[in-house]
Amino acid sequence: MLTRIHGGRVIDPTAGRDAVGDIWIEDGRVVAPSERKPDRTIDATGCVVMAGGVEVHSHIAGGNVVMSRLLLPDLYVSESAPNGHPFAHAGGSGSWIGANYARMGYTTAVEPALPPSNALATHLELADIPLLDRGGLAVLGNDDHLLQLLRNGEGKQAVRDLVQQTLAHSRGLGVKCINAGGASAFKDGVLKLSLDDEIPCYGLTTRKIMSALLDAVEEIGVPHPLHVHCNNLGLPGADDSLVATLEAAEGRRIHFAHAQFYAYGVVDPENPMTGGFRSAAERINAAMEAHPNATYDVGQVVFGQTVTISLDILRQFGGRKGAKPKKWVLSAGDAEGGGVVPFLYRPRGPVSSLQWAIGLELMLLSSNPERTILTTDHPNGGVFTEYPRIIHLLMDAEERAKEIATLPAVVGERSGLPKIEREYSFSEIAQLTRSGPAKLLGLTDRGHLREGAKADVAIYRDQKDRTAMFSHAKLVLKDGQPIVEDGEVVAWFSGKTLSLDVEADAGMEKRAESYLQDRFGAGLDTFAVPDAAFPENTGTFEDVACRA
């Protein structure tokens, strides 16, 4: 079927396109304008046309996500699916995630924490999310096998082979490194870890572990840079950790997760014990300007009740005292461990307000939105359904000023947000939410509307109220087929799970088999992700090619 989207304002920063025009679609792809009469014409007059949104960092599947639902059932009431719903077998959670992303015009989402030991369960949960293509980032940096190789000085080739074997067996789209060495150090009583602190038992440092993973990712050709969760998240002075880690990358590609939680400078550098923190957004952006090899997603805070989910057990242990309500779960098992800690970002509270301001400041100071990806680190900074409101605040300085006027004076005293007059354009929003994350993940067939792209398209009514505009798309196409009309899902189906096209080294497979049998009494097959495990109605895997 040949489809023509006619008369809309087409926004595609990858093609320098911001003008009224047409998009032509055939067989699920964007095609060149045709002389043939279209089989279907979509009138987009008065609308903004963009590629489907791409989510690079959202906790939507995995053991800690399930645990958070058990710990805080009241928070997840809205996820319930009606009787007879075609994806009700997922308990409603998957359908809620897929539907709410799709309503906002998103068509791809990535879970950033895929533990290799729990890969099958996580992929089964991802497969229960309809309407979206999805994927996961394999987590490495605290597992004993990797740390043993490094401790024994076995060299780059062995580390590379282990990383490649892990990607192949977990079917990951990339590699995530979470407070490297922190989970191991925690088991030996360490409560704070910095880049060059020694990790007991292994005699390693975060720097050495991260550097080995950076090299491996480059040598394998993983499209997505190493996805790094630094030391000392959320602490005053965390900006030092991010900048030091950035410099330690030594020009290698690196992506920083939820940078807002690291943009916390000490109030008085001459007296670090002074209470609280101040915005370090200017410093973080200056460092990014000086290091074009780096990108980051924001981790914007929004007000209200949420739950923090992280495999960084060291920081989750430290944050348990601030749990609201007063209940939490920590797991110090093999490799990552992690924890679930409920948290309330207090509306109009001084600390929460400053966190809210810092995330916006990071985005508004950025000279390159394509390297500055919009996330809330869902649900850690707040629910992803707040993206339309965040976009509104970025695009409308007057609306932003109204919001700031309701907040405590600390926002002006410890951040530069009130002085920023910049307003994002539609093209910059598309970079922040479409082309930037797609390029970051190596997904060359989406995030743009050029010829050959997947026909994932979002059409929005152009409204002054940007919150309303981006909350409910007029029309969303997935692979050229309508899935949302006027903010309501009109067709339910399963997308594909994206995974990197890599093959495990035969020698490392034998070593990994021996290691796992010795440690767990179970081999690689126990941790594999076979196609046969997935029902036919949950879609299939799609290979993503490595870089040359």
Side-chain angles (χ1 to χ4, degrees), residues 509-520:
E509 279 195 310
K510 291 180 180 178
R511 291 188 64 175
E513 174 74 20
S514 176
Y515 169 85
L516 292 169
Q517 288 286 359
D518 182 62
R519 188 171 181 85
F520 300 109

Side-chain angles (χ1 to χ4, degrees), residues 309-345:
I309 295 171
S310 179
L311 294 180
D312 185 350
I313 187 171
L314 199 155
R315 292 307 317 136
Q316 289 296 80
F317 178 79
R320 76 197 188 285
K321 294 179 181 178
K324 188 173 181 63
K326 293 292 183 182
K327 53 183 178 178
W328 43 270
V329 176
L330 297 177
S331 172
D334 188 71
E336 307 299 330
V340 176
V341 181
F343 195 82
L344 174 66
Y345 291 105

